[in-house]
Amino acid sequence: MPTLTLRGAEPSDWLFLDHLQRRHHDAIGYLPRVALEEAIDRRRVLLALENDAPAGYLYGKATYQRRADLAIIFQAAICFDARRRQMGTALVNEFLGRVPADVRQVCLWCASDLDANQFWSALGFEAVACRAGSHRTGRTHVFWCRHINGGAGTFWAPDSTRGGAMRETRVVVRVGAPLTSGAPV
């Protein structure tokens, strides 16, 4: 039975993180070395090890849109040969356990055509909004949210976003019902 260990990423883990994000760039995007190193230095990256070998990671932070009550997951990836062993769930649960008690909502963006949407739904996240992805891919990004630490009620969602690789303003539209993987918006 494989042994799963979770810990904060260290600078020496950068090569593995870079390898995994390049391998999954179509699903999670790509962060330049300086951005990923800064995330590691700020203790925002969790690493999953299987039998002491790196097998996945999660990059998130305890504030989003300058709001202390929101946390966000920017990237999460597991090696192909290590999937379906609860590593992703363990990383998400570890991240949720580390956010401050005043965080009431955790959110993330995920392209609607990815199987990862089923994973987020299974972990209790709800699809509450969407935005256009890049012109090149023609994707739609789904805004997934989950209440934590006693949070309840309507989920917060931004009216627009302008960060990320696109560096242009994109309107965010609320959705009435959860979306399924690949569902048109």
Side-chain angles (χ1 to χ4, degrees), residues 45-56:
V45 182
L46 294 172
L47 190 68
L49 299 112
E50 186 176 64
N51 297 331
D52 297 323

Side-chain angles (χ1 to χ4, degrees), residues 56-106:
Y57 76 96
L58 181 144
Y59 165 33
K61 72 175 191 169
T63 58
Y64 181 55
Q65 299 278 335
R66 297 188 175 117
R67 292 183 52 145
D69 61 333
L70 301 174
I72 186 160
I73 297 170
F74 291 112
Q75 291 184 335
I78 303 294
C79 291
F80 286 116
D81 60 346
R83 290 186 176 176
R84 309 261 187 247
R85 295 189 198 141
Q86 302 299 313
M87 273 184 228
T89 301
L91 281 167
V92 171
N93 288 338
E94 182 71 17
F95 174 73
L96 296 178
R98 291 181 178 213
V99 298
D102 57 343
V103 172
R104 299 286 184 247
Q105 177 181 319
V106 177

